[in-house]
Amino acid sequence: MKKVSGFLYQVFGWGAYVSIFAGAAGFVGFVVALIIGGDTGAAIAIAVKAQWFPLVIKVASVSVGLGLIGMYCGKEEALSMAADKKEAEEDLKRNLEEARENKEQK
């Protein structure tokens, strides 16, 4: 299971990189369309919106889904409330102890 999880993490990482790069390239396409203007600029902007961004969204969605599957295959609980609850309880205990110490010092 660890090998599957590791592989899915790698796919997630590469998918995230590709999505970021493709999103930036789409933004550059919009800037170029703005600079060019006119019918040509409108055609570029429409092509970026209609063809490029749906592809970017699909790649990002698939890579995030594979990352989540990898997390659960690796038995990680990054999205569970159990880990947050445990951290919150530890923080509460530490804060109460600090408050008691401060009160005793006064």
mmCIF file of all heavy atoms in Angstrom, residues 81-97:
data_model
loop_
_atom_site.group_PDB
_atom_site.id
_atom_site.type_symbol
_atom_site.label_atom_id
_atom_site.label_comp_id
_atom_site.label_asym_id
_atom_site.label_seq_id
_atom_site.Cartn_x
_atom_site.Cartn_y
_atom_site.Cartn_z
ATOM 1 N N MET A 81 -11.254 15.117 11.398
ATOM 2 C CA MET A 81 -11.385 15.986 12.561
ATOM 3 C C MET A 81 -10.659 15.411 13.774
ATOM 4 O O MET A 81 -10.409 16.119 14.736
ATOM 5 C CB MET A 81 -12.873 16.183 12.892
ATOM 6 C CG MET A 81 -13.644 16.889 11.788
ATOM 7 S SD MET A 81 -13.059 18.550 11.505
ATOM 8 C CE MET A 81 -13.751 19.356 12.909
ATOM 9 N N ALA A 82 -10.301 14.113 13.743
ATOM 10 C CA ALA A 82 -9.645 13.487 14.886
ATOM 11 C C ALA A 82 -8.299 14.137 15.173
ATOM 12 O O ALA A 82 -7.963 14.430 16.316
ATOM 13 C CB ALA A 82 -9.472 11.992 14.638
ATOM 14 N N ALA A 83 -7.519 14.385 14.150
ATOM 15 C CA ALA A 83 -6.212 15.003 14.344
ATOM 16 C C ALA A 83 -6.376 16.428 14.873
ATOM 17 O O ALA A 83 -5.649 16.857 15.774
ATOM 18 C CB ALA A 83 -5.432 15.001 13.035
ATOM 19 N N ASP A 84 -7.338 17.173 14.347
ATOM 20 C CA ASP A 84 -7.573 18.534 14.805
ATOM 21 C C ASP A 84 -8.063 18.554 16.247
ATOM 22 O O ASP A 84 -7.682 19.425 17.026
ATOM 23 C CB ASP A 84 -8.592 19.234 13.910
ATOM 24 C CG ASP A 84 -8.056 19.498 12.510
ATOM 25 O OD1 ASP A 84 -6.819 19.494 12.343
ATOM 26 O OD2 ASP A 84 -8.868 19.706 11.599
ATOM 27 N N LYS A 85 -8.893 17.606 16.611
ATOM 28 C CA LYS A 85 -9.416 17.540 17.971
ATOM 29 C C LYS A 85 -8.288 17.263 18.960
ATOM 30 O O LYS A 85 -8.222 17.886 20.019
ATOM 31 C CB LYS A 85 -10.489 16.462 18.073
ATOM 32 C CG LYS A 85 -11.137 16.372 19.417
ATOM 33 C CD LYS A 85 -12.214 15.307 19.458
ATOM 34 C CE LYS A 85 -12.780 15.184 20.850
ATOM 35 N NZ LYS A 85 -13.730 14.073 20.944
ATOM 36 N N LYS A 86 -7.414 16.361 18.615
ATOM 37 C CA LYS A 86 -6.288 16.033 19.492
ATOM 38 C C LYS A 86 -5.377 17.254 19.674
ATOM 39 O O LYS A 86 -4.970 17.564 20.787
ATOM 40 C CB LYS A 86 -5.497 14.864 18.899
ATOM 41 C CG LYS A 86 -4.457 14.296 19.804
ATOM 42 C CD LYS A 86 -3.832 13.067 19.187
ATOM 43 C CE LYS A 86 -2.831 12.454 20.133
ATOM 44 N NZ LYS A 86 -2.229 11.246 19.582
ATOM 45 N N GLU A 87 -5.075 17.960 18.591
ATOM 46 C CA GLU A 87 -4.246 19.162 18.679
ATOM 47 C C GLU A 87 -4.938 20.240 19.502
ATOM 48 O O GLU A 87 -4.294 20.937 20.293
ATOM 49 C CB GLU A 87 -3.936 19.696 17.286
ATOM 50 C CG GLU A 87 -2.978 18.840 16.497
ATOM 51 C CD GLU A 87 -2.767 19.378 15.081
ATOM 52 O OE1 GLU A 87 -3.154 20.529 14.817
ATOM 53 O OE2 GLU A 87 -2.219 18.626 14.269
ATOM 54 N N ALA A 88 -6.240 20.387 19.339
ATOM 55 C CA ALA A 88 -6.980 21.398 20.089
ATOM 56 C C ALA A 88 -6.970 21.087 21.580
ATOM 57 O O ALA A 88 -6.825 21.998 22.405
ATOM 58 C CB ALA A 88 -8.411 21.489 19.570
ATOM 59 N N GLU A 89 -7.105 19.810 21.932
ATOM 60 C CA GLU A 89 -7.054 19.431 23.344
ATOM 61 C C GLU A 89 -5.689 19.711 23.949
ATOM 62 O O GLU A 89 -5.590 20.206 25.077
ATOM 63 C CB GLU A 89 -7.420 17.955 23.503
ATOM 64 C CG GLU A 89 -8.879 17.653 23.255
ATOM 65 C CD GLU A 89 -9.188 16.168 23.267
ATOM 66 O OE1 GLU A 89 -8.248 15.345 23.319
ATOM 67 O OE2 GLU A 89 -10.379 15.831 23.204
ATOM 68 N N GLU A 90 -4.629 19.424 23.197
ATOM 69 C CA GLU A 90 -3.280 19.710 23.685
ATOM 70 C C GLU A 90 -3.061 21.213 23.851
ATOM 71 O O GLU A 90 -2.478 21.649 24.850
ATOM 72 C CB GLU A 90 -2.239 19.120 22.730
ATOM 73 C CG GLU A 90 -2.193 17.613 22.731
ATOM 74 C CD GLU A 90 -1.296 17.048 21.643
ATOM 75 O OE1 GLU A 90 -0.723 17.832 20.858
ATOM 76 O OE2 GLU A 90 -1.174 15.816 21.569
ATOM 77 N N ASP A 91 -3.533 22.003 22.895
ATOM 78 C CA ASP A 91 -3.419 23.461 23.001
ATOM 79 C C ASP A 91 -4.183 23.995 24.206
ATOM 80 O O ASP A 91 -3.707 24.884 24.919
ATOM 81 C CB ASP A 91 -3.919 24.142 21.731
ATOM 82 C CG ASP A 91 -2.982 23.996 20.552
ATOM 83 O OD1 ASP A 91 -1.795 23.671 20.783
ATOM 84 O OD2 ASP A 91 -3.433 24.212 19.407
ATOM 85 N N LEU A 92 -5.380 23.444 24.445
ATOM 86 C CA LEU A 92 -6.185 23.879 25.577
ATOM 87 C C LEU A 92 -5.476 23.582 26.892
ATOM 88 O O LEU A 92 -5.414 24.438 27.781
ATOM 89 C CB LEU A 92 -7.554 23.203 25.531
ATOM 90 C CG LEU A 92 -8.517 23.536 26.675
ATOM 91 C CD1 LEU A 92 -8.833 25.031 26.657
ATOM 92 C CD2 LEU A 92 -9.779 22.720 26.563
ATOM 93 N N LYS A 93 -4.912 22.375 27.022
ATOM 94 C CA LYS A 93 -4.179 22.022 28.241
ATOM 95 C C LYS A 93 -2.990 22.955 28.450
ATOM 96 O O LYS A 93 -2.757 23.435 29.559
ATOM 97 C CB LYS A 93 -3.687 20.571 28.174
ATOM 98 C CG LYS A 93 -4.770 19.547 28.355
ATOM 99 C CD LYS A 93 -4.205 18.146 28.269
ATOM 100 C CE LYS A 93 -5.291 17.113 28.318
ATOM 101 N NZ LYS A 93 -4.746 15.743 28.201
ATOM 102 N N ARG A 94 -2.244 23.206 27.404
ATOM 103 C CA ARG A 94 -1.080 24.079 27.503
ATOM 104 C C ARG A 94 -1.497 25.500 27.885
ATOM 105 O O ARG A 94 -0.883 26.132 28.752
ATOM 106 C CB ARG A 94 -0.310 24.093 26.180
ATOM 107 C CG ARG A 94 0.994 24.858 26.226
ATOM 108 C CD ARG A 94 1.841 24.735 24.968
ATOM 109 N NE ARG A 94 1.115 24.958 23.713
ATOM 110 C CZ ARG A 94 0.774 24.005 22.849
ATOM 111 N NH1 ARG A 94 1.096 22.740 23.071
ATOM 112 N NH2 ARG A 94 0.122 24.287 21.741
ATOM 113 N N ASN A 95 -2.563 25.998 27.292
ATOM 114 C CA ASN A 95 -3.035 27.345 27.617
ATOM 115 C C ASN A 95 -3.526 27.444 29.052
ATOM 116 O O ASN A 95 -3.292 28.456 29.728
ATOM 117 C CB ASN A 95 -4.136 27.784 26.652
ATOM 118 C CG ASN A 95 -3.619 28.040 25.262
ATOM 119 O OD1 ASN A 95 -2.438 28.299 25.071
ATOM 120 N ND2 ASN A 95 -4.505 27.952 24.280
ATOM 121 N N LEU A 96 -4.218 26.408 29.534
ATOM 122 C CA LEU A 96 -4.683 26.415 30.916
ATOM 123 C C LEU A 96 -3.508 26.395 31.892
ATOM 124 O O LEU A 96 -3.526 27.100 32.908
ATOM 125 C CB LEU A 96 -5.615 25.223 31.175
ATOM 126 C CG LEU A 96 -7.003 25.302 30.529
ATOM 127 C CD1 LEU A 96 -7.759 23.999 30.751
ATOM 128 C CD2 LEU A 96 -7.780 26.478 31.088
ATOM 129 N N GLU A 97 -2.486 25.607 31.586
ATOM 130 C CA GLU A 97 -1.304 25.572 32.445
ATOM 131 C C GLU A 97 -0.597 26.926 32.473
ATOM 132 O O GLU A 97 -0.172 27.400 33.531
ATOM 133 C CB GLU A 97 -0.344 24.487 31.976
ATOM 134 C CG GLU A 97 -0.836 23.081 32.229
ATOM 135 C CD GLU A 97 0.063 22.018 31.610
ATOM 136 O OE1 GLU A 97 1.127 22.374 31.056
ATOM 137 O OE2 GLU A 97 -0.311 20.838 31.672
#
